[in-house]
Amino acid sequence: MADRAHPVTEQRHADLRSPLPEHERDLPVDVAWLRRRAKLFAVVSKREFHLVTDLSAYASVSGMPYLAHYAAQVYTGPKTARLKVPLMAINLQLVTTREEADRALAHETMHLVVPSYGHKAAAFARAQLLLDEVGQLTAALT
């Protein structure tokens, strides 16, 4: 099992642009902010999910180990019994800034919206669209 993502996937992920103002991008992530932000991604994607930061709880529910190098991961359940509401885990040891959180939320939400896309360029185009829509929704709310 690889301990890192493919370099192309890593680059596509790194290229995602957060709609946060520049002065907010490096602010630390706290759970309350992350939950509010996750709700925005759920709204724009029209795909509800439960957000967890307790990685052992995620591993317990999913039955899969949460690998230390994963910034985020989603679990939709076994093919024969999909969860009504998927589970998304964010590793706060790796996702330490709000910009990193935006990228992780967009990446994993993209997997919920278009799971068949994998890590193709089209998948990350969708992730960027989600980020852009979150930015538009945030602007509309302020």
Side-chain angles (χ1 to χ4, degrees), residues 10-75:
E10 286 183 348
Q11 188 59 55
R12 287 176 177 159
H13 180 87
D15 288 343
L16 293 173
R17 295 172 320 281
S18 171
L20 288 168
E22 193 167 334
H23 69 277
E24 290 183 32
R25 292 179 188 159
D26 289 331
L27 291 176
V29 176
D30 62 73
V31 175
W33 181 89
L34 185 63
R35 289 195 184 289
R36 286 191 306 273
R37 199 70 172 173
K39 285 182 183 183
L40 295 175
F41 278 90
V43 167
V44 300
S45 69
K46 298 176 179 67
R47 190 71 162 99
E48 188 179 1
F49 56 87
H50 293 296
L51 179 71
V52 297
T53 57
D54 180 340
L55 305 181
S56 61
Y58 176 88
S60 176
V61 170
S62 69
M64 303 180 315
Y66 193 95
L67 302 178
H69 68 281
Y70 282 6
Q73 188 173 349
V74 291
Y75 177 67

